[in-house]
């Protein structure tokens, strides 16, 4: 398969992180001859973020494998209905059902350590008299909650460079669920303290995904990049024509 025939792997980051969270897997995917795009997700609303990622996907010539980490899983659940998306890969992510919100999916399970480590701050919304609310993780708790098996020096950088998620994203309902029509793979981070691993398992099992479990913190792409690459490559191979 030539490079032009191979799908483009679109890496969708989650909350409290940015596209640099894929830094350990991007060079390896490129070295394998894959096209890679890692957009900056606005993290303002589920509907808006999904529309933004869908607009990027639509402009990519040829097939796409969408990879979503954490909140990025919810984003690809909606954006993944684009015609050229061939597969979905969830990394410690939310696989929402149609009509379901993040809050509703999480609400069926015990809270993770994240719940008591959140910080809420206001931010101005252009054209609105009311501010929005940003959600981040307490800097001192970030390493243990989010990145327990990541190099401590890197974890400290990630802690102070978080990309916040607007609180609105937790309550918006997914208007569609792409996994109903697209082959999907899911990775459960069994040592995850950000999302209860049972939330990940439940979403994946409900969707009938091919699922693997890795003894990892939430940032599995940085802690265990080789396992993530294997899963993405499996999805690429399975959807190759």
């Amino acid at each position: 398969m030539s490079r032009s025939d191979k799908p483009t792997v679109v890496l969708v980051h989650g909350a409290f992180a940015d596209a640099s969270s894929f830094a350990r897997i991007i060079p390896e995917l490129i070295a394998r001859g894959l096209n890679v795009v890692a957009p900056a997700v606005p993290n303002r609303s589920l509907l808006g973020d999904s529309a933004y990622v869908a607009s990027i996907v639509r402009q990519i010539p040829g097939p796409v494998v969408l990879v979503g980490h954490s909140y990025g899983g919810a984003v690809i659940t909606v954006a993944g209905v684009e015609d050229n998306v061939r597969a979905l890969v969830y990394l410690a992510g939310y696989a929402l059902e149609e009509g379901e919100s993040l809050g509703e999916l999480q609400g069926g399970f015990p809270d993770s350590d994240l719940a008591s480590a959140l910080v809420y701050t206001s931010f101005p919304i252009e054209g609105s008299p009311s501010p929005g609310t940003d959600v981040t993780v307490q800097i001192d708790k970030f390493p243990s909650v989010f990145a327990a098996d990541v190099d401590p020096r890197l974890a400290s950088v990630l802690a102070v460079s978080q990309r916040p998620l607007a609180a609105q994203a937790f309550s918006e309902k997914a208007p569609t669920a792409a996994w109903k029509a697209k082959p999907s793979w899911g990775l459960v981070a069994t040592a995850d303290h950000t999302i209860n691993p049972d939330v990940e398992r439940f979403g994946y099992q409900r969707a009938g995904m091919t699922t693997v479990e890795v003894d990892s913190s939430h940032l599995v792409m940085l802690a265990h990049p080789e396992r993530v690459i294997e899963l993405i490559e499996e999805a690429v191979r399975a959807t190759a024509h």
Side-chain angles (χ1 to χ4, degrees), residues 2-10 35 37 54 56-66 82-87 182 239 241:
S2 70
R3 189 183 184 92
S4 60
D5 294 330
K6 288 189 176 182
T8 297
V9 177
V10 177
N35 307 302
V37 175
I56 292 173
V57 168
R58 277 196 301 276
Q59 296 174 72
I60 294 173
V64 166
V65 172
L66 262 182
E82 291 299 312
D83 290 343
N84 58 332
V85 173
R86 296 288 183 267
K182 309 288 174 88
T239 56
H241 296 297

Side-chain angles (χ1 to χ4, degrees), residues 116-166:
S116 60
L118 295 176
V119 177
Y120 301 90
T121 54
S122 62
F123 68 91
I125 299 177
E126 186 176 355
S128 172
S130 303
T133 300
D134 259 343
V135 184
T136 54
V137 182
Q138 290 179 34
I139 290 173
D140 61 335
K141 292 185 177 180
F142 185 98
S144 63
V145 170
F146 216 72
D149 50 0
V150 173
D151 181 285
R153 291 170 300 175
L154 176 56
S156 67
V157 172
L158 298 172
V160 301
S161 59
Q162 296 176 53
R163 192 179 187 106
L165 180 66

Side-chain angles (χ1 to χ4, degrees), residues 34 63 103 146 194:
L34 291 165
F146 216 72
T194 298

Side-chain angles (χ1 to χ4, degrees), residues 9-35:
V9 177
V10 177
L11 302 168
V12 181
H13 68 78
F16 323 128
D18 58 28
S20 68
S21 58
F22 295 109
R24 292 192 69 185
I25 69 169
I26 289 173
E28 298 301 324
L29 294 172
I30 292 172
R32 287 160 168 78
L34 291 165
N35 307 302

Side-chain angles (χ1 to χ4, degrees), residues 75-236:
V75 173
I76 70 170
T77 296
V78 181
V81 299
E82 291 299 312
D83 290 343
N84 58 332
V85 173
R86 296 288 183 267
L88 307 170
V89 180
Y90 292 77
L91 306 174
Y94 294 105
L96 297 179
E97 174 60 280
E98 186 175 326
E100 183 177 56
S101 69
L102 290 175
E104 288 169 340
L105 175 56
Q106 286 196 144
F109 298 86
D111 283 343
S112 69
D113 292 342
L114 175 69
S116 60
L118 295 176
V119 177
Y120 301 90
T121 54
S122 62
F123 68 91
I125 299 177
E126 186 176 355
S128 172
S130 303
T133 300
D134 259 343
V135 184
T136 54
V137 182
Q138 290 179 34
I139 290 173
D140 61 335
K141 292 185 177 180
F142 185 98
S144 63
V145 170
F146 216 72
D149 50 0
V150 173
D151 181 285
R153 291 170 300 175
L154 176 56
S156 67
V157 172
L158 298 172
V160 301
S161 59
Q162 296 176 53
R163 192 179 187 106
L165 180 66
Q168 178 179 341
F170 289 98
S171 59
E172 289 185 338
K173 299 178 185 295
T176 187
W179 49 257
K180 291 179 182 290
K182 309 288 174 88
S184 304
W185 285 257
L187 184 151
V188 176
T190 61
D192 199 333
H193 290 273
T194 298
I195 300 176
N196 183 333
D198 285 337
V199 173
E200 300 165 21
R201 289 189 188 98
F202 174 79
Y204 300 166
Q205 290 168 1
R206 177 173 62 180
M209 291 186 199
T210 301
T211 304
V212 300
E213 302 210 353
V214 179
D215 182 14
S216 176
S217 71
H218 191 58
L219 282 175
V220 64
M221 318 86 71
L222 289 172
H224 301 278
E226 66 289 337
R227 297 298 302 276
V228 172
I229 292 165
E230 286 173 10
L231 193 64
I232 294 171
E233 286 198 304
E234 182 179 334
V236 168

